[in-house]
Amino acid sequence: MHPLTDAQLVAACREGREEAWNELVERFSRYVYAITQAFRLAPPDADDVFQDVFTRVYERLDTLRSDDALRPWLAQLTRNLCLDRIRRDGREEPTEDLDPGTIDDAVDKLDEAFAVREALGGLSPDCAEILDRFFTRDESYRTIGESLELPSGTIASRISRCLARLRDALEGRIPAPAPSGERVTR
Amino acid sequence: MIYTDEERLAELLRALPPAPTGWVRAAQELPRVRRELDGIVERAEADAHFRAELLADLERALAAAGVEPRRPIVEELRRRLED
């Protein structure tokens, strides 16, 4: 069963389907969160921006010109709200490491990372879980081994094998979900 | 795009850590929270005493309605009551 495309997800949210809204938040929560982190907002500010972003999306889904443009819209909305927050708090305008070019680069990298996460979703659940635990949750071999009931000595080789599969998926050697907006139907 | 470099792949995987669970849950609850807010505002419009009590302690009113009184929600309720 294929996941809904972004456009299908938006359409389902407009119909008031709460499970679609849950999926939309789940799909983009890491992305929005990562942008707030690129702006180095303090956790309470990042939380406020995160909630504001999804509130605005919820309120303004009808104004989205192209349903496939959800992710760029989220990126722009999050950036604008982060900048508003920085200005409202009287912080100096970002100049060096937070200048617009740097933020653009950071968002470009997050777009690439998003594609990798989509490919991760096309791997076996075991592979997806082990890579997620190790790389994004920073769990140790021991913790992963205990959780998955595997000897910790085998975790490194599993990670290496799963990374190779992920690489293959991204290069199209094995079936993997297409980028957002190009997938088929649920 | 060719992903021959596993270090780069690992870096991209690390670039999207999970958002805090509570943040995600709060965002997912928006539709329900909206319905609760609509109900609270409707009741406040019909009952001046309830409205006065509400304005005196918005957080408590939200909590009583089963809504976590996060700042944006409290602000929105205040705005809607003062409109």
Side-chain angles (χ1 to χ4, degrees):
Chain A
M1 189 175 283
H2 295 280
L4 296 178
T5 64
D6 291 351
Q8 290 167 333
L9 202 52
V10 168
C13 288
R14 285 203 189 102
E15 290 168 5
R17 288 166 50 188
E18 287 192 24
E19 75 280 7
W21 175 253
N22 287 343
E23 168 62 23
L24 186 149
V25 173
E26 183 67 38
R27 187 176 294 182
F28 294 103
S29 61
R30 290 175 186 249
Y31 184 68
V32 171
Y33 174 63
I35 296 174
T36 67
Q37 300 309 289
F39 279 89
R40 299 183 189 168
L41 294 184
D45 291 336
D47 184 8
D48 283 351
V49 167
F50 185 91
Q51 301 306 324
D52 281 349
V53 167
F54 284 107
T55 299
R56 290 184 193 213
V57 168
Y58 185 74
E59 289 172 345
R60 301 179 189 177
L61 265 183
D62 286 338
T63 68
L64 184 59
R65 286 184 189 166
S66 164
D67 290 358
D68 282 325
L70 180 58
R71 183 148 51 99
W73 185 41
L74 277 165
Q76 193 59 47
L77 201 49
T78 310
R79 289 173 61 137
N80 290 345
L81 289 170
C82 285
L83 286 170
D84 286 350
R85 177 56 56 126
I86 288 169
R87 291 185 187 118
R88 196 173 83 182
D89 292 349
R91 280 165 55 183
E92 286 181 11
E93 202 57 33
T95 50
E96 291 179 11
D97 51 342
L98 286 183
D99 72 15
T102 305
I103 296 296
D104 285 345
D105 290 346
V107 174
D108 286 348
K109 181 180 172 185
L110 294 178
D111 284 331
E112 202 180 342
F114 195 87
V116 171
R117 279 213 71 80
E118 287 195 314
L120 187 69
L123 300 184
S124 68
D126 286 351
C127 261
E129 183 173 1
I130 207 166
L131 292 179
D132 189 56
R133 282 175 178 271
F134 186 72
F135 289 109
T136 67
R137 297 179 192 272
D138 269 339
E139 292 184 4
S140 65
Y141 291 166
R142 183 177 167 186
T143 304
I144 297 171
E146 285 172 359
S147 179
L148 303 183
E149 297 182 348
L150 291 168
S152 58
T154 68
I155 300 299
S157 60
R158 288 263 182 124
I159 288 170
S160 176
R161 196 160 59 239
C162 291
L163 264 184
R165 285 183 186 161
L166 179 61
R167 187 191 59 216
D168 289 347
L170 283 159
E171 292 175 6
R173 292 183 206 158
I174 59 174
S180 276
E182 295 176 19
R183 286 174 287 189
V184 195
T185 56
R186 172 163 273 172
Chain B
M1 194 170 298
I2 306 298
Y3 291 92
T4 51
D5 182 351
E6 292 188 355
E7 285 299 317
R8 174 68 175 159
L9 263 187
E11 182 189 340
L12 291 170
L13 283 168
R14 286 193 185 98
L16 287 176
T21 310
W23 300 12
V24 175
R25 193 182 61 242
Q28 287 176 323
E29 285 182 349
L30 266 172
R32 182 182 71 81
V33 167
R34 285 305 162 106
R35 285 196 301 275
E36 296 291 351
L37 288 188
D38 289 345
I40 290 171
V41 171
E42 195 174 319
R43 191 177 160 201
E45 284 171 349
D47 182 342
H49 180 67
F50 175 72
R51 185 174 183 279
E53 279 188 348
L54 199 56
L55 283 168
D57 194 343
L58 290 175
E59 284 85 354
R60 195 175 67 177
L62 284 168
V67 175
E68 188 182 350
R70 300 172 79 88
R71 192 198 55 77
I73 302 296
V74 174
E75 282 183 3
E76 181 179 342
L77 179 56
R78 190 183 308 281
R79 181 182 56 74
R80 289 180 63 178
L81 288 170
E82 288 172 353
D83 275 350

